[in-house]
């Protein structure tokens, strides 16, 4: 039977993608690279340094900077991102998310966070949702980022269950691959065209309930 639900954060629990985008856009413009929302799709679920690398590759500038300079750019982006997310309050949780978390708790289903973001704990605090989480996987504790399954596997390990007992919820294509490669059931939030590799696709979190989650498990 099912025992654990592993949530992605950005794009599932809160719409932080817009802040990541604004911060990357600011950084990109300073070095003469233009990014648009379509390109930004590729950065979803991808780590900070890997995102920077993709932006530099887009502008064919990857070999123009040393690792130290790249780390400084990533730090600058994160500083701006942290400034932007300070305005987040519990009102900014995506629709149904607090209700779903509460309902899973009532059903004694464990809840984990499998976000690539090093800002996950800060965001959960700003959203007032920390108390619902039985574990937060530290993204720096896994070697390979999404689409590798590592972060989801670590979540099942920390909560003491088999991958087959887990459902993962994701908005990013890379994240859905990570869940499927971990041997878990995947629920995706977003466009079915990008996310057809999930077991179930919902167009938004408005459609997410604890019943939808438990039903996918039994299918
Ligand atoms: P940070 P998720 C991911 O979070 C974001 O989707 C991605 O855009 C971001 O670059 C990554 O976290 C790292 O975030 O810079 O805050 O460590 O979707 O896996 O929750
Ligand atoms: Mg995401």
């Amino acid at each position: 039977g099912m025992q654990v639900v592993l949530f992605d954060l950005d794009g599932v629990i809160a719409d932080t993608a817009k802040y990541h985008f604004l911060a990357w856009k600011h950084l990109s413009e300073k070095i003469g690279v233009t990014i648009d929302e379509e390109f930004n799709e590729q950065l979803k679920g991808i780590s900070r340094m890997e995102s920077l690398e993709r932006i530099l590759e887009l502008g064919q500038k990857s070999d123009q900077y040393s690792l130290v300079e790249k780390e400084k750019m990533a730090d600058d982006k994160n500083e701006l991102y942290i400034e932007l997310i300070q305005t987040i309050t519990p009102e900014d949780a995506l629709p149904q998310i607090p209700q779903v978390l509460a309902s899973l708790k009532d059903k004694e289903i464990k809840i984990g966070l499998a976000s690539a973001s090093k800002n996950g704990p800060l965001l959960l605090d700003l959203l007032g949702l920390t108390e619902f989480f039985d574990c937060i996987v530290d993204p720096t504790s896994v070697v390979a980022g999404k689409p590798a399954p590592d972060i989801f596997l670590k979540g099942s390990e920390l909560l003491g269950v088999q991958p087959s007992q887990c459902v993962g919820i994701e908005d990013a294509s890379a994240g859905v691959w990570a869940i499927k490669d971990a041997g878990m059931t995947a629920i995706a939030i977003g466009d079915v065209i990008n996310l057809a590799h999930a077991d179930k696709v919902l167009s938004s979190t408005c459609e997410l309930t604890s019943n939808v989650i438990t039903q996918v498990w039994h299918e």
Side-chain angles (χ1 to χ4, degrees), residues 4 16-17 24 43 59-60 73 84 111 118 128 148 161 176 181 210:
V4 165
T16 46
W24 280 130
L43 305 182
Q60 294 176 313
M73 288 184 210
L84 294 170
I111 301 170
K118 294 179 186 170
V161 295
V176 172
D181 282 356
S210 66

Side-chain angles (χ1 to χ4, degrees), residues 13-200:
I13 293 176
D15 181 18
T16 46
K18 61 185 175 204
Y19 302 119
H20 280 297
F21 178 60
L22 284 173
W24 280 130
K25 204 168 140 69
H26 184 82
L27 187 273
S28 302
E29 275 163 11
K30 284 210 292 198
I31 56 165
V33 181
T34 308
I35 60 168
D36 59 16
E37 304 245 9
E38 195 192 322
F39 174 80
N40 189 52
E41 274 305 303
Q42 287 182 43
L43 305 182
K44 291 186 177 174
I46 304 299
S47 76
R48 199 180 303 163
M49 281 301 272
E50 177 68 23
S51 299
L52 174 64
E53 211 40 69
R54 293 196 188 192
I55 290 167
L56 293 174
E57 272 162 24
L58 177 75
Q60 294 176 313
K61 290 178 188 289
S62 182
D63 41 18
Q64 289 177 24
Y65 298 98
S66 67
L67 181 58
V68 173
E69 289 170 318
K70 289 178 185 178
E71 276 164 354
K72 169 84 168 65
M73 288 184 210
D75 284 350
D76 287 349
K77 178 267 174 179
N78 191 52
E79 212 169 283
L80 177 54
Y81 176 71
I82 287 178
E83 236 172 84
L84 294 170
I85 61 175
Q86 293 309 316
T87 57
I88 290 182
T89 71
E91 314 265 278
D92 294 302
L94 283 169
Q96 290 302 124
I97 293 297
Q99 291 85 339
V100 169
L101 292 171
S103 169
L104 290 171
K105 271 264 120 49
D106 284 345
K107 293 180 178 176
E108 293 179 6
I109 293 170
K110 288 208 172 135
I111 301 170
L113 190 74
S115 168
S117 176
K118 294 179 186 170
N119 296 301
L122 167 64
L123 283 162
L124 288 185
D125 276 345
L126 290 165
L127 292 161
L129 298 174
T130 306
E131 57 166 331
F132 290 111
F133 286 80
D134 298 293
C135 94
I136 297 176
V137 183
D138 175 1
T140 64
S141 73
V142 296
V143 181
K146 301 168 187 179
D150 304 33
I151 195 162
F152 286 96
L153 289 172
K154 187 79 180 219
S156 64
E157 194 187 306
L158 289 172
L159 292 170
V161 295
Q162 294 301 312
S164 60
Q165 295 171 288
C166 299
V167 168
I169 308 184
E170 262 288 350
D171 68 314
S173 175
V176 172
W177 286 121
I179 296 169
K180 292 312 297 172
D181 282 356
M184 300 177 181
T185 303
I187 296 179
I189 312 289
D191 190 341
V192 72
I193 297 179
N194 293 327
L195 304 167
H197 44 312
D199 296 282
K200 186 167 189 78

